[in-house]
Amino acid sequence: MFLQGWLIFLLSPYLYEFQKSLISNNLSSGLNMCMSGSAASCEECLLIHPNCAWCSQQDFGRGWTSRCDFFTNLLKRGCENRFIEFPSSRTSILESRPLSSEGSGWTQYDVVQIMPQKISLSLRPGGQTWFGLQVRQVEDYPVDLYYLMDLSLSMKDDLDTIRNLGTKLAQEMGKLTSNFRLGFGSFVDKNMSPFSYTADKYQENPCNGYKLFPNCVPTFGFRHILSLTDKVDRFNEEVQKQMVSRNRDAPEGGFDAILQAAVCKEEIGWRKEAYHLLVFATDDVPHLALDGRLGGLVQPHDGRCHLNEKNEYSASTQMDYPSLALLGEKLAENNIFLIFAVTKRLYVIYKDFTALIPGTTVEILDQDSKNVIQLIITAYNNIRSKVELSVWDHPEDLSLSFTATCQDGQPLPGLRKCADLKIGDTVSFNVSVEARSCPPRGTDQSFTIKPVGFKDRLEVSVDYQCDCGCSRTAKSNSSICSSIGTYTCGTCRCEPGYLGARCECQEGDSGSMYLSACREAEGKQICSGRGECSCNQCLCYESEFGKIYGSFCECDDFSCARHKGILCSGHGECHCGECKCHAGYVGDNCNCSTETSTCVSDDGRMCSGRGSCVCGRCQCSEPGAFGDTCEKCPTCPDACGTKRECIECRLFNSGRLADNQTCQRLCKDEIITVETLSRSTLMYTQSIHNRQKNTQRKCSRGPDALMVLLAVVGSILLVGVVLLAVWKLAITIHDRREFARFQSARSRARYEMASNPLYKQPVTTHFVETDFNMFGKSYNGGVH
């Protein structure tokens, strides 16, 4: 793979020339944008398209309208090769020292981890050129580790844990490198309100009155305690002396400390030829830029070192906290890998920071920092297992496109990083460069490509092919131009007020003999209705929308397709109604990105192997697959089926993934072999042939989909019926209780006649008149 990548790098300029020749031949049979552009000079011709050429031959072009055409067309039309201006983009290697294999020993000061080191690009606007580079993580490379610890009161138990960290850490790191140095620093927060206690009684002891821990040291921003040293006992001694402090609010001033540890190179002792690891241990969130305004600090951080004679941060109460952008810039500038060692509850917050600060990782720290050594070793191994390229001082008019070739040997367009590497592995990258325009003359352009965290870099200088060689022989007041123009590259550049191929006409001259030459075809408008015909030439109108140009004013730079109202999506140039996309974009309106890094899933596969990457987004083709990288798929083969190929290549070195180290890249799960397996999960067969044991294991057949579906539906129906029955029973019991309560109330409201003590039975008296004889006497009586 190394040899293959290096051959591609060496041959890329020649492959480019060959490909450009093919493109030129293909374009010559289609739309001729060179002639439609109506270039009036050689320089204008070169800007139209990288396949356009200019003929400077004096007697060329009689009966033709343009000297600007494809190279092959100019030859066919009689232009001699020596008069054709056709510059091309190319790459030149200026320095290429071979990659090193080890980082320590007598070669440590001359270690090379990137090749080549210097190249020069000669670019024609719109044209592309390629170059390759190789990166290797060398073995036994020196390591500088600076331990930056939060010494606020809540970290007291962590301080007790790391008092002997130096010796143990040096022992573990000694297994990875023979050249290790360790340093120490601490931080709390700005000693001002509202971040810390500022009353007089708290100046010497911020813990004054705090019953749980009554004594602590005054609050400080950042304090550099021990410069990087290989004497790890010094680390233990300095840590033994430390005491915690106390601040008022929950967030800490850790970002102040990170910046000082990064930019104070001499004080910290960072070595140029070493990996720089900055371990940031805390149990709370940090203050960010603009938080300082709460305390009246309006001056932004200047990104400089401010350590005084006591090795303390002297500008803590003078400048605001640094921003994430400034922090990332200074860490990258000084090749520092930042490791966030934070408690579990803060993991998500600091994980978001890593997306904004390149070269940063986050690991979970136990509450008392017991796992800090394993955390550092794990973070270091993760850092060494990947290579990611970064671009510095990228010129705005250059477009870069990367293709990574990692350990499996497969090119990955749009990617600029490789992961899952072993120390000593070599990876290669192909970089496509396109110049979109020409900078002002005399401008020197350059940029740098470097792996994140490496001191090694590739320096690229850029030269632009924007001028024609024939322009150097221009003749003013030439007789060819009627002595009123400059003859250059086969054409006349007339003085103001004169027109014509030989400056033979004055502006304002018109006539039928000139009008016919201003029509694109018989019956069409003069100058396409967008210009005036003067002396056999179209003078195009000005437009508020853009430029109108062409021999017959038939072209403009504003009538191309748009995306969301933006011409050519902002990723291309409009040329005569057609979008010419920048490198990395395709489509009629240049809205389709060829970047594929967003389509790579966590396992390193494109769209999880279940779709294709289109315009930077995954289009899932596997039925049932969904997600940003098609990583979710409930109906896809079960886990046993998807791991089958990994088991084959890992245990038996066979199957589709056994070649080109693909197995190591894709199969990361731990495989445990046992002697006895459950019959319900695996079928195990063994046969012996020629005293060699051949073991075959295959996964059991998955459950029947129809049975699973029926079981699920039946379970849902059963649960529904049970819930309805419970609901009905509850309603019935509730209704009966309410009815009984009603009956009881009604009974209490009924009054019985005999039982009511306030009720008396009414008595009725009747008076009756009677006549009767009683004992011979007559009476009149009544009833009273």
Side-chain angles (χ1 to χ4, degrees), residues 158-221:
D158 300 77
L159 180 61
D160 296 334
T161 302
I162 71 163
R163 294 194 186 278
N164 295 314
L165 173 65
T167 303
K168 298 178 182 178
L169 183 58
Q171 292 174 352
E172 293 298 324
M173 290 298 296
K175 301 175 183 178
L176 304 175
T177 176
S178 61
N179 195 335
F180 176 67
R181 290 188 178 184
L182 185 62
F184 183 71
S186 61
F187 66 91
V188 182
D189 205 348
K190 296 181 182 296
N191 190 15
M192 59 185 302
S193 182
F195 314 117
S196 301
Y197 296 94
T198 57
D200 292 339
K201 65 177 181 178
Y202 295 123
Q203 290 302 307
E204 296 298 326
N205 182 14
C207 296
N208 188 2
Y210 187 65
K211 296 181 180 179
L212 297 179
F213 194 78
N215 295 307
C216 57
V217 299
T219 307
F220 58 92

Side-chain angles (χ1 to χ4, degrees), residues 13-239:
Y14 305 100
L15 293 175
Y16 172 67
E17 294 298 329
F18 175 71
Q19 182 184 21
K20 186 167 68 172
S21 176
L22 292 178
I23 294 174
S24 177
N25 292 334
N26 292 334
L27 290 175
S28 62
S29 60
L31 174 65
N32 194 331
M33 74 283 292
C34 301
M35 297 182 66
S36 64
S38 185
S41 66
C42 180
E43 285 75 16
E44 290 182 7
C45 178
L46 299 184
L47 290 174
I48 293 176
H49 193 273
N51 288 319
C52 293
W54 178 270
C55 180
S56 62
Q57 189 172 314
Q58 180 178 342
D59 58 351
F60 178 80
R62 294 179 180 176
W64 295 86
T65 59
S66 178
R67 292 175 175 267
C68 186
D69 203 343
F70 297 123
F71 182 87
T72 53
N73 289 352
L74 292 177
L75 290 176
K76 292 177 182 179
R77 289 165 50 190
C79 185
E80 297 181 22
N81 197 349
R82 61 192 178 97
F83 290 110
I84 297 179
E85 296 285 341
F86 188 46
S88 59
S89 300
R90 61 182 182 272
T91 300
S92 301
I93 303 175
L94 304 180
E95 181 180 353
S96 182
R97 290 179 288 128
L99 296 172
S100 303
S101 57
E102 287 188 345
S104 294
W106 64 274
T107 61
Q108 74 176 75
Y109 298 103
D110 195 27
V111 174
V112 178
Q113 296 187 100
I114 186 171
M115 180 179 69
Q117 295 80 43
K118 290 183 180 180
I119 64 174
S120 175
L121 302 179
S122 181
L123 299 177
R124 175 177 169 177
Q128 290 184 346
T129 187
W130 289 268
F131 63 88
L133 60 98
Q134 311 262 325
V135 181
R136 176 185 294 170
Q137 292 266 28
V138 302
E139 298 179 1
D140 197 21
Y141 199 74
V143 176
D144 289 344
L145 189 150
Y146 191 79
Y147 195 86
L148 184 57
M149 185 175 182
D150 178 1
L151 283 188
S152 59
L153 190 58
S154 59
M155 294 286 286
K156 181 180 181 300
D157 54 344
D158 300 77
L159 180 61
D160 296 334
T161 302
I162 71 163
R163 294 194 186 278
N164 295 314
L165 173 65
T167 303
K168 298 178 182 178
L169 183 58
Q171 292 174 352
E172 293 298 324
M173 290 298 296
K175 301 175 183 178
L176 304 175
T177 176
S178 61
N179 195 335
F180 176 67
R181 290 188 178 184
L182 185 62
F184 183 71
S186 61
F187 66 91
V188 182
D189 205 348
K190 296 181 182 296
N191 190 15
M192 59 185 302
S193 182
F195 314 117
S196 301
Y197 296 94
T198 57
D200 292 339
K201 65 177 181 178
Y202 295 123
Q203 290 302 307
E204 296 298 326
N205 182 14
C207 296
N208 188 2
Y210 187 65
K211 296 181 180 179
L212 297 179
F213 194 78
N215 295 307
C216 57
V217 299
T219 307
F220 58 92
F222 164 66
R223 181 177 294 156
H224 169 53
I225 299 171
L226 177 65
S227 299
L228 292 164
T229 177
D230 55 1
K231 298 178 176 59
V232 294
D233 292 339
R234 287 284 315 282
F235 181 92
N236 297 336
E237 293 174 3
E238 293 299 333
V239 174

Side-chain angles (χ1 to χ4, degrees), residues 229-437:
T229 177
D230 55 1
K231 298 178 176 59
V232 294
D233 292 339
R234 287 284 315 282
F235 181 92
N236 297 336
E237 293 174 3
E238 293 299 333
V239 174
Q240 294 284 347
K241 303 175 184 177
Q242 302 307 308
M243 292 183 61
V244 294
S245 183
R246 186 188 183 196
N247 59 322
R248 171 175 285 178
D249 60 353
E252 322 290 7
F255 279 8
D256 268 344
I258 291 176
L259 186 63
Q260 293 303 297
V263 299
C264 298
K265 295 181 289 187
E266 295 182 359
E267 291 81 358
I268 303 298
W270 296 114
R271 292 177 293 175
K272 183 179 180 181
E273 54 288 327
Y275 279 111
H276 302 159
L277 305 182
L278 178 57
V279 180
F280 177 80
T282 185
D283 64 348
D284 222 317
V285 296
H287 275 297
L288 302 176
L290 300 182
D291 284 357
R293 299 198 174 192
L294 297 173
L297 301 178
V298 296
Q299 180 182 353
H301 204 291
D302 60 7
R304 298 178 181 176
C305 178
H306 294 279
L307 291 185
N308 58 22
E309 62 279 359
K310 296 181 180 179
N311 278 332
E312 292 187 358
Y313 178 38
S314 59
S316 178
T317 57
Q318 300 172 11
M319 291 187 295
D320 195 5
Y321 298 96
S323 65
L324 288 172
L326 179 61
L327 210 60
E329 176 187 342
K330 294 303 178 181
L331 288 170
E333 182 180 307
N334 295 282
N335 307 318
I336 295 176
F337 290 103
L338 176 61
I339 302 173
F340 287 125
V342 299
T343 52
K344 187 175 182 180
R345 69 181 182 89
L346 303 175
Y347 179 82
V348 175
I349 296 175
Y350 281 89
K351 186 66 176 177
D352 292 339
F353 289 156
T354 64
L356 303 173
I357 306 176
T360 305
T361 59
V362 58
E363 300 289 342
I364 297 178
L365 183 70
D366 288 347
Q367 291 293 337
D368 56 359
S369 298
K370 286 183 179 179
N371 67 328
V372 65
I373 294 179
Q374 186 57 42
L375 179 152
I376 293 173
I377 300 299
T378 301
Y380 175 75
N381 289 330
N382 288 337
I383 291 171
R384 295 297 307 272
S385 68
K386 59 186 177 182
V387 170
E388 181 176 1
L389 299 183
S390 62
V391 181
W392 289 72
D393 302 324
H394 183 190
E396 295 182 357
D397 56 358
L398 288 186
S399 177
L400 303 181
S401 179
F402 292 82
T403 298
T405 303
C406 302
Q407 288 307 101
D408 59 0
Q410 299 297 322
L412 301 173
L415 285 185
R416 61 171 71 180
K417 63 180 179 180
C418 289
D420 302 322
L421 305 177
K422 296 179 181 178
I423 296 177
D425 287 346
T426 302
V427 294
S428 61
F429 299 88
N430 281 340
V431 186
S432 171
V433 186
E434 176 188 346
R436 294 193 291 263
S437 61

